[in-house]
Amino acid sequence: MKTKHVLIVDDEPRSRDGIKRTLEAWTDAFLVIHTAASAYEAFNIAEKEMIDLLITDIRMPEMSGLCLIEKLQEKKHATEYIVVSAYSEFNYAHHALELGVFTYLLKPVQKKKLLEAVTKALKLRAEKTRLDHVEKVFDTKLADVNHASEGFPTSVSHALAHIDQHYQSKIGIKEVANAVHLNPNYLSVLFKEHLGITFSDYVTRRRLQHAKHLLLSTNLPVAVIAEQAGYQTAKYFIKLFKDNEGITPSQYRKYCPGQAKEICDSSH
């Protein structure tokens, strides 16, 4: 099972340590448990670690648990949330639900309810992660192009086939235009008209699709993958990958779920 990071936030040491001990006794070494005595401390931890599940008290000095969740959501953290509180007022629970909190537990937290909530929340996080990586592996724009390819002019279809066969080497629009007997400028117009993206954008997407497949299904060094994806330098490939995916190739490989190889194999 892939290791999950859980962050427990509570200004009361007894409550915080109690939840931690319960999870430590339950887990089979697949949880890394972090603790924080304040929302500010928790926020700093979440900025450094990829937290899968945040378990937080609501009422804490200086910043509440709900404010903490709002700040993490503003930062686009991919985290599930469980709120724990001794206060059962409806407005707290209502606000928590509005923030997308997985569940709301009242203190003193029952061990059974805590473990059930943690189990379900981690399963939900794993499923969201899997779907997120499916989206990253399957370029929806390329899928749209493939789906609509039967309606393309013959010259465009031939151009796409030529790119798919030669994208791993140096390739430009003049070469492809020559291969399909068209003027480069005219081919550029056809690409934009029928694919909705430029020639260079299509080549980039096709190369990155292949690179992602190699990252998730092999142990090849990033430099080798860059070369096999059609890029002459690893430095440029890494920059381009990060510009398009938001993370580096190494991070993409590191944070991929266990089933990524099967996802990738089926997309290639």
Side-chain angles (χ1 to χ4, degrees):
M1 182 178 292
K2 182 179 172 60
T3 300
K4 300 292 183 182
H5 288 253
V6 176
L7 174 56
I8 304 166
V9 193
D10 198 318
D11 62 313
E12 298 178 4
R14 184 176 179 180
S15 177
R16 183 175 67 245
D17 294 341
I19 293 175
K20 183 173 185 287
R21 286 195 299 270
T22 297
L23 294 183
E24 286 176 336
W26 167 69
T27 183
D28 188 22
F30 71 92
L31 288 187
V32 175
I33 302 173
H34 309 267
T35 61
S38 72
Y40 286 105
E41 183 184 353
F43 184 80
N44 290 331
I45 292 173
E47 287 286 88
K48 298 174 184 176
E49 304 286 346
M50 293 193 69
I51 302 301
D52 297 285
L53 174 61
L54 176 77
I55 303 174
T56 182
D57 189 20
I58 287 185
R59 285 201 176 182
M60 294 182 288
E62 299 182 337
M63 186 195 299
S64 72
L66 297 183
C67 286
L68 169 62
I69 292 172
E70 289 178 337
K71 284 177 66 69
L72 293 177
Q73 289 180 340
E74 288 173 1
K75 290 283 188 176
K76 307 297 183 183
H77 284 268
T79 305
E80 296 303 316
Y81 306 98
I82 292 176
V83 166
V84 178
S85 178
Y87 301 89
S88 59
E89 290 94 332
F90 174 76
N91 61 315
Y92 285 122
H94 182 66
H95 190 186
L97 293 174
E98 287 181 334
L99 292 174
V101 169
F102 178 75
T103 194
Y104 184 103
L105 301 175
L106 293 178
K107 292 181 179 180
V109 179
Q110 296 181 20
K111 178 180 176 180
K112 182 180 179 181
K113 287 187 176 181
L114 172 65
L115 297 182
E116 286 178 350
V118 169
T119 299
K120 291 178 181 178
L122 289 176
K123 285 182 178 179
L124 178 62
R125 179 74 257 141
E127 179 62 14
K128 287 182 179 179
T129 300
R130 186 187 72 81
L131 293 175
D132 179 59
H133 281 284
V134 168
E135 291 178 359
K136 286 182 178 294
V137 172
F138 290 103
D139 187 317
T140 55
K141 191 61 183 179
L142 288 184
D144 291 343
V145 168
N146 292 334
H147 181 70
S149 60
E150 292 183 3
F152 291 161
T154 302
S155 56
V156 174
S157 296
H158 287 174
L160 292 174
H162 187 85
I163 293 170
D164 289 346
Q165 292 171 10
H166 298 90
Y167 67 85
Q168 292 174 275
S169 57
K170 188 175 181 180
I171 189 173
I173 193 166
K174 289 183 179 180
E175 176 193 334
V176 177
N178 183 60
V180 297
H181 311 293
L182 287 178
N183 177 280
N185 291 333
Y186 182 54
L187 179 60
S188 177
V189 171
L190 287 177
F191 256 77
K192 189 66 177 176
E193 178 183 347
H194 293 283
L195 276 67
I197 56 177
T198 64
F199 172 87
S200 61
D201 191 18
Y202 179 81
V203 174
T204 297
R205 287 172 178 270
R206 189 66 185 85
R207 284 173 168 169
L208 291 183
Q209 176 91 349
H210 182 59
K212 287 186 284 186
H213 168 76
L214 294 177
L215 284 167
L216 303 185
S217 62
T218 76
N219 293 317
L220 290 173
V222 171
V224 174
I225 290 176
E227 182 179 354
Q228 293 195 11
Y231 294 103
Q232 296 181 328
T233 67
K235 183 178 180 180
Y236 177 71
F237 165 68
I238 293 170
K239 180 182 183 303
L240 190 68
F241 192 97
K242 188 172 183 180
D243 287 344
N244 281 268
E245 302 298 325
I247 55 177
T248 67
S250 296
Q251 290 171 327
Y252 183 88
R253 170 181 271 167
K254 179 180 179 181
Y255 296 121
C256 192
Q259 61 267 52
K261 184 179 185 299
E262 288 76 11
I263 294 171
C264 245
D265 288 342
S266 65
S267 70
H268 191 65

